[in-house]
Amino acid sequence: MPASASAHRPEDLISRLRSAAADGGANLKALRELKNQIIGNRTKKLSYIKLGAVPSVVSILASASADVKATDADADADALLLQSAAAIGSFACGFDAGVKAVIDAGAFPHLLGLISHPNDKVVDAGARSLKMIYQSKLAPKYDFLQDKNVTFLLSLLNSENENVTGLGASIITHSCETSIEQKALSDAGVLKRLICLIGGSLCQRDASLESLVTIIKGNPEVVSKFLGPESGRALTAVTELTKDRCPRTRLLACMCMIVIRNTCPCYLQDVGTKTKLVLILLELLDDPGQVGDEAAFALSSLIAEKEELQKLAFEENVVDKLCNHLRKGPLQAKRIQGILLALADLCSKLESCRSRLLSLQVLSMVTDALSHDSANVRAAACLCLKSVTRSVKDVIQNLSAGSFMKEVIVIPLVQLLHDTSTSVQVAALGAISNIVVDFTTHKSLFIQCGGVKQLAQLSKSMEPTLRVNAVWALRNLTFLTDNRCKGGIFLELTASALASLIGDPEPSVQEQALALVRNLVDGCIDSVEYVMSEDGHILHAIGRQLQTASKPEVLIQGMYALGNVASGNEFHKEAVMHQLLPQIGDTTQSIIIKHLQNNDSRLRTAAVWALVNLTFPSSPGAHGRVVKLRNAGITSQLKNMVNDPSLDVKLRVRAALGQIMTFGDGST
């Protein structure tokens, strides 16, 4: 083999690096060759990582650092420091496997040591490599509640070297996670220093803006300090940067303003500012790189849960423009994810946005994204479908409902219930919940696709988020459906499993399980029989929750479930009475009295509804139940509620008392 070919073999290059490390020689050629081979090449990076290149490079860095400490400044040693730091940075740049290899090899403390080196070029090389490491989530985090870490951070931010100040800002962006840390940094003067750095070089400006977003996000106290007199014209400076010629600077300035608006809605209220933000972000979507990818996420953050801003965005044709970007394909996964999330937020509240999206004939692209390789894209597609299917009227007008249900959406969504990503499963459950609640004539299709079976399985998951969303979907599936479908659902779920869900440790699961029962027993008398199976296992579970639960939503759903059971036959009504009134010898207050006196008018309404269903004058056992209710003090309680502040409660109370009084006023 020719010598030139042999010299380029990875194994030979690794051998040369090891020799250089062992000898302490300055084999700069090997380091330069390695660096040049791996720059921008993930495949080669991984290949060299597997061959053990990273520990050899770190060993050279460590040896050169030791030589510098032992002797005066040495040009050869400095050159080794420069090249080894650059090679380490190349391994870490945009590649988590590289970051892990670099950290595992012990490079981090050696790179930090370069920050205090007397040679500015060495300092630059160390800071740049550390910044590349801090682009990854795998980078070490600093605890900013420790004074020494804050002091170190300030020393970085106060450096005259822009790469060092940029490193400090990157550490903040990566490590600051809690409101306590945000306040600690703000109080220590970090916020003030970052505001000063906004006026620095492009590198300092962008890094500072990104760090400012991290420090002020979700913290009204820090936002107030940022906008206060001590900080001068910080907001004015950020606003001006939304006009900067650099796309990334404009994006980061917009993100800073969005965080201020989301944290403290009292700021940035004028329509002109909000319109400007929307238009800038739309313009930035045209950027082919990372800025364009992130612009869609920023737009999503701006309009999420804000109907006023969604209307404004609709008026600026944002739906059309996002759909046009989606059509451009092929797009990177992050770009698709961001666009789908923005569309999901736009369509979450407004019928006009949903109608426009459907009319643009891009729904097939959204459903295609359900099978994308990226889990983030699959989840975003589910969220988009969840928003679109909030308006079933529009869906039916624009599509063939049967085909839409069976082939385009339902089958892919059911398949996603088996997804390896929990976030995808949760998002798919959210979309399914919307779809099954309204397509009344096509619910059987969902059952035929195996959807109910998988929902029943997910309701047993150890993950609470999956459990609650699976039960929620089952709840919606049973809404206004026929008894045949209910039977199929109940068969898959079983009485014992449903009773367990009612007693789940998570109140949110309890609420959805009780709402599921409420829907299950709503309708014909045959439906009520579901709660009576297995010796009334479900009914007893409802009674226990009504005695012990504290969350109003759980009690409301439980009370309505009992109210629906009370609309059944005499056997059903007596079973409800057994749950509502204390047993003989039991001195505790009856459930019904407790809930009639509750501060929540929704719970009072539900409790009175149950009494209305128990006291229909035409029911054979109504008189006996009225006597028991009077003896328990319930009639007196109802009389105290005739002028209840809630109109709903007042109307139901008068209906209940009217029925009770048909059997006399009990004053004999």
Side-chain angles (χ1 to χ4, degrees), residues 438-509:
D438 281 306
F439 283 104
T440 309
T441 58
H442 297 90
K443 291 188 180 187
S444 59
L445 292 174
F446 183 77
I447 298 173
Q448 291 167 16
C449 293
V452 174
K453 188 178 186 68
Q454 187 57 19
L455 291 180
Q457 282 296 113
L458 291 176
S459 73
K460 301 170 188 173
S461 170
M462 296 297 291
E463 173 57 52
T465 311
L466 282 176
R467 285 203 310 279
V468 69
N469 282 280
V471 180
W472 200 330
L474 287 165
R475 165 194 178 175
N476 288 354
L477 190 62
T478 56
F479 179 67
L480 297 180
T481 194
D482 59 60
N483 206 39
R484 187 174 63 83
C485 279
K486 287 182 181 179
I489 295 165
F490 190 73
L491 191 64
E492 286 289 353
L493 198 54
T494 75
S496 57
L498 189 45
S500 295
L501 288 167
I502 291 170
D504 192 274
E506 296 291 328
S508 56
V509 177

Coordinates of all heavy atoms in Angstrom, one line a residue, residues 438-509:
D438 N -67.8 13.2 18.2 CA -68.8 13.8 17.3 C -69.3 12.9 16.1 O -70.4 13.1 15.6 CB -68.3 15.1 16.7 CG -68.5 16.2 17.8 OD1 -69.6 16.4 18.3 OD2 -67.5 16.9 18.1
F439 N -68.4 12.0 15.6 CA -68.8 11.2 14.5 C -69.6 10.0 15.0 O -69.2 8.9 15.0 CB -67.5 10.7 13.8 CG -66.8 11.7 12.9 CD1 -65.7 12.3 13.4 CD2 -67.4 12.1 11.7 CE1 -65.0 13.3 12.6 CE2 -66.7 13.0 10.9 CZ -65.6 13.6 11.4
T440 N -70.8 10.4 15.4 CA -71.7 9.4 16.0 C -72.0 8.1 15.2 O -71.9 7.0 15.7 CB -73.1 10.1 16.3 OG1 -72.9 11.3 17.0 CG2 -74.0 9.2 17.2
T441 N -72.2 8.3 13.9 CA -72.5 7.1 13.1 C -71.3 6.3 12.7 O -71.5 5.2 12.1 CB -73.2 7.6 11.8 OG1 -72.3 8.5 11.1 CG2 -74.5 8.3 12.1
H442 N -70.1 6.7 13.0 CA -68.9 6.0 12.6 C -68.1 5.5 13.8 O -66.9 5.1 13.6 CB -68.0 6.9 11.7 CG -68.7 7.3 10.5 ND1 -69.5 8.4 10.3 CD2 -68.7 6.7 9.3 CE1 -69.9 8.5 9.1 NE2 -69.5 7.4 8.4
K443 N -68.6 5.5 15.0 CA -67.9 5.1 16.2 C -67.5 3.6 16.1 O -66.5 3.2 16.6 CB -68.6 5.4 17.5 CG -68.7 6.9 17.8 CD -69.3 7.2 19.1 CE -69.4 8.7 19.4 NZ -69.8 9.1 20.7
S444 N -68.4 2.9 15.5 CA -68.1 1.4 15.3 C -66.9 1.2 14.5 O -66.2 0.2 14.7 CB -69.3 0.7 14.6 OG -69.6 1.3 13.4
L445 N -66.5 2.1 13.6 CA -65.3 2.0 12.8 C -64.1 2.0 13.7 O -63.1 1.2 13.6 CB -65.2 3.1 11.8 CG -66.2 3.1 10.7 CD1 -66.0 4.4 9.9 CD2 -66.0 1.9 9.8
F446 N -64.1 2.8 14.7 CA -63.0 2.9 15.7 C -62.9 1.6 16.4 O -61.8 1.1 16.7 CB -63.2 4.1 16.6 CG -62.1 4.3 17.6 CD1 -61.0 4.9 17.2 CD2 -62.2 3.9 18.9 CE1 -59.9 5.1 18.1 CE2 -61.2 4.1 19.8 CZ -60.0 4.7 19.4
I447 N -64.0 1.0 16.8 CA -64.0 -0.3 17.5 C -63.4 -1.4 16.6 O -62.6 -2.2 17.0 CB -65.4 -0.6 18.1 CG1 -65.9 0.5 19.1 CG2 -65.4 -2.0 18.7 CD1 -67.3 0.3 19.5
Q448 N -63.9 -1.4 15.4 CA -63.4 -2.4 14.4 C -61.9 -2.3 14.2 O -61.3 -3.3 13.9 CB -64.2 -2.2 13.1 CG -65.6 -2.6 13.2 CD -66.4 -2.1 11.9 OE1 -65.8 -1.8 10.9 NE2 -67.7 -2.1 12.0
C449 N -61.4 -1.1 14.2 CA -59.9 -0.9 14.0 C -59.1 -1.4 15.2 O -57.9 -1.2 15.2 CB -59.6 0.6 13.7 SG -60.3 1.2 12.2
G450 N -59.7 -1.8 16.3 CA -59.0 -2.2 17.5 C -58.7 -1.1 18.4 O -57.9 -1.2 19.3
G451 N -59.4 0.0 18.2 CA -59.1 1.2 19.0 C -59.5 1.1 20.4 O -58.7 1.4 21.3
V452 N -60.6 0.5 20.7 CA -61.1 0.3 22.1 C -60.2 -0.6 22.9 O -59.9 -0.3 24.0 CB -62.6 -0.2 22.1 CG1 -63.0 -0.5 23.5 CG2 -63.5 0.8 21.5
K453 N -59.8 -1.7 22.2 CA -58.9 -2.6 22.9 C -57.6 -2.0 23.3 O -57.1 -2.2 24.5 CB -58.6 -3.8 21.9 CG -57.8 -5.0 22.5 CD -57.6 -6.0 21.5 CE -57.0 -7.3 22.1 NZ -57.9 -8.0 23.1
Q454 N -57.0 -1.1 22.5 CA -55.8 -0.4 22.8 C -56.0 0.7 23.9 O -55.2 0.9 24.7 CB -55.1 0.2 21.6 CG -53.8 0.8 21.8 CD -52.8 -0.2 22.3 OE1 -53.0 -1.5 22.3 NE2 -51.7 0.3 22.9
L455 N -57.2 1.3 23.8 CA -57.5 2.3 24.8 C -57.6 1.6 26.2 O -57.1 2.2 27.2 CB -58.8 3.0 24.5 CG -58.8 4.0 23.3 CD1 -60.1 4.6 23.1 CD2 -57.7 5.1 23.5
A456 N -58.2 0.5 26.2 CA -58.4 -0.3 27.5 C -57.0 -0.6 28.0 O -56.7 -0.6 29.2 CB -59.2 -1.5 27.3
Q457 N -56.1 -1.0 27.1 CA -54.7 -1.4 27.5 C -54.0 -0.1 28.1 O -53.4 -0.2 29.2 CB -53.9 -1.9 26.3 CG -54.2 -3.4 26.0 CD -53.9 -4.3 27.1 OE1 -54.7 -4.9 27.8 NE2 -52.6 -4.4 27.4
L458 N -54.1 1.0 27.4 CA -53.4 2.2 27.9 C -54.0 2.7 29.2 O -53.3 3.4 29.9 CB -53.5 3.3 26.8 CG -52.7 3.0 25.5 CD1 -52.9 4.1 24.5 CD2 -51.2 2.9 25.8
S459 N -55.3 2.4 29.4 CA -55.9 2.9 30.7 C -55.2 2.2 31.9 O -55.4 2.6 33.0 CB -57.4 2.6 30.7 OG -57.7 1.2 30.8
K460 N -54.5 1.1 31.6 CA -53.8 0.4 32.7 C -52.3 0.7 32.8 O -51.5 0.1 33.5 CB -53.9 -1.1 32.5 CG -55.3 -1.6 32.4 CD -55.4 -3.1 31.9 CE -56.8 -3.5 31.7 NZ -56.9 -4.9 31.0
S461 N -51.9 1.7 32.0 CA -50.5 2.1 31.9 C -50.0 2.6 33.3 O -50.8 3.2 34.1 CB -50.3 3.2 30.9 OG -49.0 3.8 30.9
M462 N -48.7 2.5 33.5 CA -48.1 3.0 34.7 C -47.9 4.5 34.6 O -47.7 5.2 35.6 CB -46.7 2.3 35.0 CG -46.8 0.9 35.3 SD -47.8 0.5 36.8 CE -46.7 1.2 38.0
E463 N -48.0 5.1 33.4 CA -47.8 6.5 33.1 C -49.1 7.2 33.3 O -50.1 7.0 32.5 CB -47.3 6.7 31.7 CG -47.2 8.1 31.3 CD -46.3 9.0 32.2 OE1 -45.2 8.6 32.4 OE2 -46.8 10.0 32.6
P464 N -49.3 8.1 34.3 CA -50.6 8.7 34.6 C -51.1 9.5 33.4 O -52.3 9.5 33.1 CB -50.3 9.7 35.7 CG -49.1 9.1 36.4 CD -48.3 8.5 35.3
T465 N -50.2 10.2 32.6 CA -50.7 10.9 31.4 C -51.4 10.1 30.4 O -52.4 10.4 29.8 CB -49.5 11.7 30.8 OG1 -48.8 12.4 31.8 CG2 -50.0 12.7 29.8
L466 N -50.8 8.9 30.2 CA -51.5 7.9 29.3 C -52.8 7.4 29.8 O -53.8 7.3 29.1 CB -50.5 6.7 29.0 CG -49.4 7.0 28.1 CD1 -48.5 5.7 28.0 CD2 -49.9 7.3 26.7
R467 N -52.8 7.1 31.1 CA -54.1 6.6 31.7 C -55.2 7.7 31.6 O -56.3 7.3 31.1 CB -53.9 6.3 33.2 CG -53.1 5.1 33.5 CD -53.5 4.5 34.9 NE -53.4 5.4 36.0 CZ -52.2 5.8 36.5 NH1 -51.1 5.3 36.1 NH2 -52.2 6.7 37.6
V468 N -54.9 8.9 31.9 CA -56.0 9.9 31.9 C -56.5 10.2 30.5 O -57.7 10.3 30.2 CB -55.5 11.2 32.6 CG1 -54.5 11.9 31.8 CG2 -56.7 12.1 32.8
N469 N -55.5 10.2 29.5 CA -55.9 10.5 28.2 C -56.7 9.3 27.5 O -57.6 9.5 26.7 CB -54.7 10.9 27.3 CG -54.3 12.4 27.6 OD1 -54.9 13.3 27.0 ND2 -53.3 12.6 28.4
A470 N -56.3 8.1 27.9 CA -57.0 6.9 27.4 C -58.4 6.9 27.9 O -59.4 6.6 27.1 CB -56.2 5.6 27.8
V471 N -58.6 7.2 29.2 CA -59.9 7.2 29.8 C -60.8 8.3 29.2 O -62.0 8.2 29.0 CB -59.9 7.2 31.3 CG1 -61.3 7.2 31.9 CG2 -59.1 6.1 31.9
W472 N -60.1 9.4 29.0 CA -60.8 10.6 28.4 C -61.3 10.2 27.0 O -62.5 10.5 26.6 CB -59.8 11.7 28.2 CG -60.5 13.1 28.1 CD1 -61.7 13.4 27.5 CD2 -59.9 14.3 28.5 NE1 -61.9 14.7 27.5 CE2 -60.9 15.3 28.2 CE3 -58.8 14.7 29.2 CZ2 -60.7 16.7 28.4 CZ3 -58.6 16.0 29.5 CH2 -59.5 17.0 29.1
A473 N -60.5 9.5 26.2 CA -61.0 9.1 24.9 C -62.1 8.1 25.0 O -63.1 8.2 24.2 CB -59.8 8.4 24.1
L474 N -62.1 7.2 25.9 CA -63.2 6.2 26.2 C -64.4 7.0 26.6 O -65.6 6.6 26.2 CB -62.8 5.2 27.2 CG -61.8 4.1 26.8 CD1 -61.2 3.4 28.0 CD2 -62.5 3.2 25.8
R475 N -64.3 8.0 27.4 CA -65.4 8.8 27.9 C -66.1 9.4 26.6 O -67.3 9.4 26.5 CB -64.9 9.9 28.8 CG -65.9 11.1 29.0 CD -65.2 12.3 29.7 NE -66.1 13.4 29.8 CZ -65.8 14.5 30.4 NH1 -64.6 14.7 30.9 NH2 -66.7 15.5 30.5
N476 N -65.3 10.0 25.7 CA -65.9 10.7 24.6 C -66.5 9.6 23.6 O -67.5 9.9 22.9 CB -64.8 11.5 23.8 CG -64.5 12.8 24.6 OD1 -65.1 13.1 25.6 ND2 -63.5 13.5 24.1
L477 N -65.9 8.5 23.6 CA -66.4 7.4 22.7 C -67.8 7.0 23.1 O -68.7 6.6 22.3 CB -65.5 6.2 22.7 CG -65.7 5.1 21.7 CD1 -65.6 5.7 20.2 CD2 -64.7 4.0 21.9
T478 N -68.1 7.0 24.5 CA -69.4 6.6 25.0 C -70.4 7.7 25.0 O -71.6 7.4 25.3 CB -69.2 6.1 26.4 OG1 -68.6 7.1 27.2 CG2 -68.4 4.8 26.5
F479 N -70.0 8.9 24.6 CA -70.9 10.0 24.6 C -72.0 9.8 23.5 O -71.7 9.7 22.3 CB -70.2 11.3 24.4 CG -71.0 12.6 24.3 CD1 -71.7 13.0 25.5 CD2 -71.2 13.3 23.2 CE1 -72.5 14.1 25.4 CE2 -72.0 14.4 23.1 CZ -72.6 14.8 24.3
L480 N -73.3 9.8 23.9 CA -74.4 9.7 23.0 C -74.3 8.6 22.0 O -74.7 8.7 20.8 CB -74.6 11.0 22.3 CG -75.0 12.3 23.1 CD1 -75.2 13.5 22.3 CD2 -76.2 12.0 24.0
T481 N -73.7 7.5 22.4 CA -73.6 6.3 21.5 C -74.7 5.3 21.8 O -75.3 5.3 22.9 CB -72.2 5.7 21.6 OG1 -72.0 4.8 20.5 CG2 -72.0 4.9 22.9
D482 N -74.9 4.4 20.9 CA -75.9 3.4 21.1 C -75.4 2.3 22.1 O -74.2 2.1 22.3 CB -76.4 2.7 19.8 CG -75.2 2.1 19.0 OD1 -74.6 1.1 19.6 OD2 -74.9 2.5 17.9
N483 N -76.4 1.5 22.6 CA -76.1 0.5 23.6 C -75.2 -0.6 23.1 O -74.4 -1.2 23.8 CB -77.4 -0.1 24.2 CG -77.2 -0.6 25.6 OD1 -76.5 0.1 26.4 ND2 -77.8 -1.7 25.9
R484 N -75.2 -0.9 21.8 CA -74.4 -1.9 21.2 C -72.9 -1.5 21.3 O -72.1 -2.3 21.7 CB -74.8 -2.2 19.8 CG -74.0 -3.4 19.1 CD -74.6 -3.6 17.7 NE -74.3 -2.5 16.8 CZ -73.2 -2.3 16.2 NH1 -72.2 -3.2 16.3 NH2 -73.0 -1.3 15.4
C485 N -72.6 -0.3 21.0 CA -71.3 0.2 21.1 C -70.8 0.3 22.6 O -69.7 -0.1 22.9 CB -71.1 1.6 20.5 SG -71.0 1.6 18.7
K486 N -71.7 0.7 23.4 CA -71.4 0.7 24.8 C -71.1 -0.7 25.3 O -70.1 -0.8 26.1 CB -72.6 1.3 25.7 CG -72.8 2.8 25.5 CD -74.0 3.2 26.4 CE -74.2 4.7 26.2 NZ -75.4 5.2 27.1
G487 N -71.8 -1.6 24.9 CA -71.6 -3.0 25.3 C -70.2 -3.5 24.9 O -69.5 -4.1 25.6
G488 N -69.8 -3.1 23.6 CA -68.4 -3.5 23.2 C -67.3 -2.8 24.0 O -66.3 -3.4 24.3
I489 N -67.6 -1.6 24.3 CA -66.6 -0.8 25.2 C -66.5 -1.4 26.5 O -65.4 -1.7 27.1 CB -67.0 0.7 25.2 CG1 -66.9 1.3 23.9 CG2 -66.1 1.4 26.2 CD1 -67.6 2.7 23.8
F490 N -67.6 -1.7 27.2 CA -67.7 -2.3 28.5 C -67.0 -3.6 28.6 O -66.3 -4.0 29.5 CB -69.1 -2.3 29.0 CG -69.2 -2.7 30.5 CD1 -68.9 -1.7 31.4 CD2 -69.7 -3.9 30.9 CE1 -69.0 -2.0 32.8 CE2 -69.8 -4.2 32.2 CZ -69.4 -3.2 33.2
L491 N -67.2 -4.4 27.5 CA -66.6 -5.8 27.4 C -65.1 -5.7 27.4 O -64.5 -6.5 28.1 CB -67.1 -6.5 26.2 CG -66.9 -8.0 26.0 CD1 -67.6 -8.7 27.1 CD2 -67.3 -8.5 24.7
E492 N -64.6 -4.7 26.7 CA -63.1 -4.6 26.7 C -62.6 -4.0 28.0 O -61.5 -4.4 28.5 CB -62.7 -3.6 25.5 CG -62.8 -4.2 24.2 CD -61.7 -5.3 23.9 OE1 -60.8 -5.5 24.7 OE2 -61.9 -5.9 22.8
L493 N -63.3 -3.1 28.6 CA -62.8 -2.4 29.8 C -63.0 -3.2 31.0 O -62.1 -3.3 31.9 CB -63.5 -1.1 29.9 CG -62.9 0.0 30.8 CD1 -61.4 0.2 30.4 CD2 -63.7 1.3 30.7
T494 N -64.1 -3.9 31.2 CA -64.6 -4.7 32.4 C -64.9 -3.8 33.6 O -64.4 -2.7 33.8 CB -63.5 -5.7 32.8 OG1 -62.5 -5.1 33.5 CG2 -63.0 -6.6 31.6
A495 N -65.8 -4.3 34.4 CA -66.3 -3.6 35.6 C -65.2 -3.4 36.6 O -65.1 -2.3 37.2 CB -67.5 -4.4 36.2
S496 N -64.4 -4.4 36.8 CA -63.4 -4.3 37.8 C -62.3 -3.3 37.4 O -61.8 -2.5 38.3 CB -62.7 -5.7 38.0 OG -62.1 -6.2 36.8
A497 N -62.0 -3.2 36.1 CA -61.0 -2.3 35.7 C -61.5 -0.8 35.8 O -60.8 0.1 36.2 CB -60.6 -2.5 34.2
L498 N -62.8 -0.7 35.5 CA -63.4 0.7 35.6 C -63.5 1.1 37.0 O -63.3 2.3 37.3 CB -64.8 0.6 34.9 CG -65.5 2.0 34.7 CD1 -64.6 3.0 34.1 CD2 -66.7 1.8 33.8
A499 N -63.8 0.2 37.9 CA -63.9 0.5 39.3 C -62.5 0.9 39.8 O -62.3 1.8 40.7 CB -64.4 -0.7 40.1
S500 N -61.5 0.2 39.4 CA -60.1 0.6 39.7 C -59.7 2.0 39.3 O -59.0 2.7 40.0 CB -59.1 -0.4 39.2 OG -59.3 -1.7 39.7
L501 N -60.2 2.3 38.0 CA -59.9 3.7 37.5 C -60.6 4.7 38.3 O -60.1 5.8 38.5 CB -60.3 3.7 36.0 CG -59.4 3.0 35.1 CD1 -60.1 2.9 33.7 CD2 -58.0 3.7 34.9
I502 N -61.8 4.4 38.8 CA -62.5 5.4 39.6 C -61.7 5.7 40.9 O -61.7 6.8 41.5 CB -63.9 4.9 39.9 CG1 -64.8 4.9 38.7 CG2 -64.6 5.7 41.0 CD1 -66.1 4.2 38.8
G503 N -61.0 4.6 41.4 CA -60.2 4.8 42.6 C -58.8 5.0 42.4 O -57.9 4.8 43.3
D504 N -58.4 5.4 41.2 CA -57.0 5.7 40.8 C -56.4 6.7 41.7 O -57.1 7.6 42.2 CB -57.0 6.2 39.3 CG -55.6 6.2 38.7 OD1 -54.9 7.2 38.9 OD2 -55.2 5.2 38.1
P505 N -55.1 6.6 41.9 CA -54.4 7.6 42.8 C -54.4 9.0 42.2 O -54.3 10.0 43.0 CB -52.9 7.1 42.8 CG -53.0 5.7 42.5 CD -54.2 5.5 41.5
E506 N -54.6 9.1 40.9 CA -54.6 10.5 40.3 C -56.0 11.0 40.2 O -56.8 10.4 39.5 CB -54.0 10.4 38.8 CG -52.5 10.0 38.8 CD -51.6 11.0 39.4 OE1 -51.9 12.2 39.3 OE2 -50.6 10.7 40.0
P507 N -56.3 12.2 40.8 CA -57.6 12.8 40.7 C -58.1 13.0 39.2 O -59.3 12.9 39.0 CB -57.5 14.1 41.4 CG -56.3 13.9 42.4 CD -55.4 13.0 41.7
S508 N -57.2 13.4 38.3 CA -57.6 13.6 36.9 C -58.1 12.3 36.3 O -59.0 12.4 35.5 CB -56.4 14.1 36.1 OG -55.3 13.3 36.2
V509 N -57.5 11.2 36.7 CA -58.0 9.9 36.1 C -59.4 9.6 36.8 O -60.3 9.1 36.1 CB -57.0 8.7 36.4 CG1 -57.5 7.4 36.0 CG2 -55.6 9.0 35.8

